[in-house]
Amino acid sequence: MKYMRCLINSYICQFHKCYFSSKHSVELLPEVQTLLDSGVMKHRKHPGIRKLPPLQLPADLIEAVYRLVSNENESRILKEAAELKSFLASRRLPIEEDEVNFRLAKYFGPNKDVMTKEQLIKAKRNIRCEFGRWKPIEYNYYQCLAYLAGKLTSNYASIYKVFSEVNSVLPSFQPRSFFDFGSGVGSAVWAANAMWEKSLDEYFCVDSSASMNEISQALLTDENTGKSSIKNIFFRQFLPASDNIKYDLVVSAFSLLDLPSVEERVRTIDTLWRKTKDILVIIENGNLSGFFSVLDARDYVLQIEKQLPDSNGAHVVIPF
């Protein structure tokens, strides 16, 4: 464990020195290139293209959503949903303390050393407001309903798409246990159940918001019978630190940007990876912040697996 902490701290120190690039080199198989050049195969139908049929939310989930929302002020929920979607789409990674100090020194120079404590706090706050749009979200019940109305369908589609890719690349992978960090309203649970319903027999969901867990459980509960649509599902508010119990499939979907610092993100990824028996899935919004957070998580996992003694290694399943 001491060795692991050293690796984490070392990686955090190197984080701001990393340079990222999405450039890569690919080459078609000769036989595919020949078919494309001859016109026998259309580019839109080459083997690398995978298309999903139109998706629809499970009928039980649709009914449960209507039941929850219809009991509340729908116009207010829809308004808050639009505002929340806009905020999440433009959300940036939180600015780190060392960057704040760098900008303080740049703007104030020698005057920084003679600033009072109150002036220093105010200056740091102004820098954070100017350069970072990140701020924590405390999800109350109405905000959770807004998240449900604004993000459930898109999150479900994105997660199901990733699970479909995993299933295409690894058709023999049939997970029995599922761990969802930042489970929210349960999008990943429903998507996993739709993909691997026959094999999955345990679901463990973690979300710091009690209201999120409450709504997620309400969506799973049949109004008439009181039984859960998905059996053997458990909810917690805190991420268990122990790695004694491992899960076949571990997911963090649209949750890393909720963490306040790179240190928290790295430590969370480390915990999730130690809980992973087979596959760890990381999904974030398709913006620059989401790209960097996923790339950082991937690089960290690959790096520690190279350095840890007696490691079996790790490799990226998708994207290729």
mmCIF file of all heavy atoms in Angstrom, residues 19-34:
data_model
loop_
_atom_site.group_PDB
_atom_site.id
_atom_site.type_symbol
_atom_site.label_atom_id
_atom_site.label_comp_id
_atom_site.label_asym_id
_atom_site.label_seq_id
_atom_site.Cartn_x
_atom_site.Cartn_y
_atom_site.Cartn_z
ATOM 1 N N TYR A 19 1.797 16.197 -21.867
ATOM 2 C CA TYR A 19 1.293 16.770 -23.103
ATOM 3 C C TYR A 19 0.452 15.705 -23.798
ATOM 4 O O TYR A 19 0.876 14.560 -23.938
ATOM 5 C CB TYR A 19 2.447 17.203 -24.005
ATOM 6 C CG TYR A 19 3.247 18.337 -23.420
ATOM 7 C CD1 TYR A 19 4.344 18.082 -22.605
ATOM 8 C CD2 TYR A 19 2.884 19.662 -23.646
ATOM 9 C CE1 TYR A 19 5.070 19.123 -22.046
ATOM 10 C CE2 TYR A 19 3.605 20.706 -23.092
ATOM 11 C CZ TYR A 19 4.696 20.430 -22.298
ATOM 12 O OH TYR A 19 5.409 21.458 -21.741
ATOM 13 N N PHE A 20 -0.738 16.087 -24.212
ATOM 14 C CA PHE A 20 -1.664 15.120 -24.762
ATOM 15 C C PHE A 20 -1.783 15.308 -26.267
ATOM 16 O O PHE A 20 -1.732 16.418 -26.775
ATOM 17 C CB PHE A 20 -3.049 15.277 -24.121
ATOM 18 C CG PHE A 20 -3.030 15.117 -22.632
ATOM 19 C CD1 PHE A 20 -3.016 16.227 -21.800
ATOM 20 C CD2 PHE A 20 -3.004 13.866 -22.064
ATOM 21 C CE1 PHE A 20 -2.998 16.082 -20.426
ATOM 22 C CE2 PHE A 20 -2.986 13.708 -20.691
ATOM 23 C CZ PHE A 20 -2.985 14.814 -19.873
ATOM 24 N N SER A 21 -1.972 14.215 -26.945
ATOM 25 C CA SER A 21 -2.181 14.268 -28.384
ATOM 26 C C SER A 21 -3.151 13.172 -28.780
ATOM 27 O O SER A 21 -3.062 12.045 -28.294
ATOM 28 C CB SER A 21 -0.861 14.078 -29.128
ATOM 29 O OG SER A 21 -1.101 13.974 -30.519
ATOM 30 N N SER A 22 -4.083 13.514 -29.643
ATOM 31 C CA SER A 22 -5.040 12.520 -30.117
ATOM 32 C C SER A 22 -4.645 11.977 -31.487
ATOM 33 O O SER A 22 -5.390 11.234 -32.099
ATOM 34 C CB SER A 22 -6.443 13.139 -30.196
ATOM 35 O OG SER A 22 -6.442 14.236 -31.087
ATOM 36 N N LYS A 23 -3.467 12.367 -31.989
ATOM 37 C CA LYS A 23 -3.038 11.903 -33.298
ATOM 38 C C LYS A 23 -2.622 10.433 -33.224
ATOM 39 O O LYS A 23 -1.993 9.996 -32.277
ATOM 40 C CB LYS A 23 -1.862 12.747 -33.793
ATOM 41 C CG LYS A 23 -2.219 14.210 -34.042
ATOM 42 C CD LYS A 23 -1.014 14.985 -34.539
ATOM 43 C CE LYS A 23 -1.371 16.448 -34.780
ATOM 44 N NZ LYS A 23 -0.198 17.224 -35.243
ATOM 45 N N HIS A 24 -2.980 9.696 -34.230
ATOM 46 C CA HIS A 24 -2.583 8.305 -34.276
ATOM 47 C C HIS A 24 -2.476 7.881 -35.733
ATOM 48 O O HIS A 24 -2.995 8.530 -36.634
ATOM 49 C CB HIS A 24 -3.583 7.422 -33.531
ATOM 50 C CG HIS A 24 -4.989 7.563 -34.028
ATOM 51 N ND1 HIS A 24 -5.824 8.549 -33.585
ATOM 52 C CD2 HIS A 24 -5.686 6.848 -34.942
ATOM 53 C CE1 HIS A 24 -6.995 8.441 -34.196
ATOM 54 N NE2 HIS A 24 -6.938 7.419 -35.022
ATOM 55 N N SER A 25 -1.797 6.782 -35.948
ATOM 56 C CA SER A 25 -1.588 6.284 -37.301
ATOM 57 C C SER A 25 -2.300 4.951 -37.457
ATOM 58 O O SER A 25 -2.155 4.059 -36.625
ATOM 59 C CB SER A 25 -0.088 6.111 -37.567
ATOM 60 O OG SER A 25 0.124 5.558 -38.845
ATOM 61 N N VAL A 26 -3.101 4.832 -38.496
ATOM 62 C CA VAL A 26 -3.808 3.583 -38.760
ATOM 63 C C VAL A 26 -3.557 3.164 -40.198
ATOM 64 O O VAL A 26 -3.250 3.984 -41.066
ATOM 65 C CB VAL A 26 -5.329 3.723 -38.525
ATOM 66 C CG1 VAL A 26 -5.629 4.007 -37.080
ATOM 67 C CG2 VAL A 26 -5.922 4.811 -39.409
ATOM 68 N N GLU A 27 -3.695 1.884 -40.425
ATOM 69 C CA GLU A 27 -3.486 1.358 -41.766
ATOM 70 C C GLU A 27 -4.515 0.274 -42.028
ATOM 71 O O GLU A 27 -4.707 -0.630 -41.204
ATOM 72 C CB GLU A 27 -2.071 0.782 -41.885
ATOM 73 C CG GLU A 27 -1.712 0.347 -43.297
ATOM 74 C CD GLU A 27 -0.268 -0.103 -43.402
ATOM 75 O OE1 GLU A 27 0.533 0.318 -42.539
ATOM 76 O OE2 GLU A 27 0.042 -0.866 -44.322
ATOM 77 N N LEU A 28 -5.200 0.368 -43.152
ATOM 78 C CA LEU A 28 -6.211 -0.618 -43.499
ATOM 79 C C LEU A 28 -5.566 -1.953 -43.854
ATOM 80 O O LEU A 28 -4.427 -2.005 -44.339
ATOM 81 C CB LEU A 28 -7.044 -0.134 -44.687
ATOM 82 C CG LEU A 28 -8.026 1.013 -44.440
ATOM 83 C CD1 LEU A 28 -8.660 1.447 -45.755
ATOM 84 C CD2 LEU A 28 -9.106 0.607 -43.457
ATOM 85 N N LEU A 29 -6.310 -3.017 -43.609
ATOM 86 C CA LEU A 29 -5.853 -4.323 -44.072
ATOM 87 C C LEU A 29 -5.776 -4.307 -45.600
ATOM 88 O O LEU A 29 -6.634 -3.707 -46.262
ATOM 89 C CB LEU A 29 -6.820 -5.414 -43.612
ATOM 90 C CG LEU A 29 -6.900 -5.660 -42.101
ATOM 91 C CD1 LEU A 29 -8.030 -6.638 -41.784
ATOM 92 C CD2 LEU A 29 -5.582 -6.199 -41.575
ATOM 93 N N PRO A 30 -4.770 -4.937 -46.179
ATOM 94 C CA PRO A 30 -4.607 -4.901 -47.645
ATOM 95 C C PRO A 30 -5.841 -5.372 -48.398
ATOM 96 O O PRO A 30 -6.225 -4.775 -49.413
ATOM 97 C CB PRO A 30 -3.413 -5.836 -47.885
ATOM 98 C CG PRO A 30 -2.657 -5.823 -46.603
ATOM 99 C CD PRO A 30 -3.675 -5.668 -45.524
ATOM 100 N N GLU A 31 -6.487 -6.437 -47.897
ATOM 101 C CA GLU A 31 -7.656 -6.952 -48.606
ATOM 102 C C GLU A 31 -8.825 -5.972 -48.557
ATOM 103 O O GLU A 31 -9.586 -5.836 -49.525
ATOM 104 C CB GLU A 31 -8.083 -8.311 -48.037
ATOM 105 C CG GLU A 31 -8.366 -8.338 -46.539
ATOM 106 C CD GLU A 31 -7.144 -8.681 -45.706
ATOM 107 O OE1 GLU A 31 -6.016 -8.413 -46.177
ATOM 108 O OE2 GLU A 31 -7.324 -9.209 -44.593
ATOM 109 N N VAL A 32 -8.953 -5.253 -47.425
ATOM 110 C CA VAL A 32 -10.012 -4.246 -47.315
ATOM 111 C C VAL A 32 -9.716 -3.072 -48.242
ATOM 112 O O VAL A 32 -10.611 -2.558 -48.926
ATOM 113 C CB VAL A 32 -10.154 -3.763 -45.856
ATOM 114 C CG1 VAL A 32 -11.156 -2.614 -45.761
ATOM 115 C CG2 VAL A 32 -10.586 -4.912 -44.958
ATOM 116 N N GLN A 33 -8.453 -2.642 -48.274
ATOM 117 C CA GLN A 33 -8.061 -1.539 -49.152
ATOM 118 C C GLN A 33 -8.325 -1.882 -50.613
ATOM 119 O O GLN A 33 -8.792 -1.045 -51.397
ATOM 120 C CB GLN A 33 -6.577 -1.226 -48.948
ATOM 121 C CG GLN A 33 -6.091 0.005 -49.702
ATOM 122 C CD GLN A 33 -6.721 1.277 -49.179
ATOM 123 O OE1 GLN A 33 -6.561 1.620 -48.020
ATOM 124 N NE2 GLN A 33 -7.450 1.991 -50.034
ATOM 125 N N THR A 34 -8.054 -3.130 -50.996
ATOM 126 C CA THR A 34 -8.287 -3.568 -52.373
ATOM 127 C C THR A 34 -9.769 -3.510 -52.725
ATOM 128 O O THR A 34 -10.152 -3.040 -53.809
ATOM 129 C CB THR A 34 -7.763 -5.007 -52.572
ATOM 130 O OG1 THR A 34 -6.368 -5.033 -52.266
ATOM 131 C CG2 THR A 34 -7.984 -5.473 -53.998
#
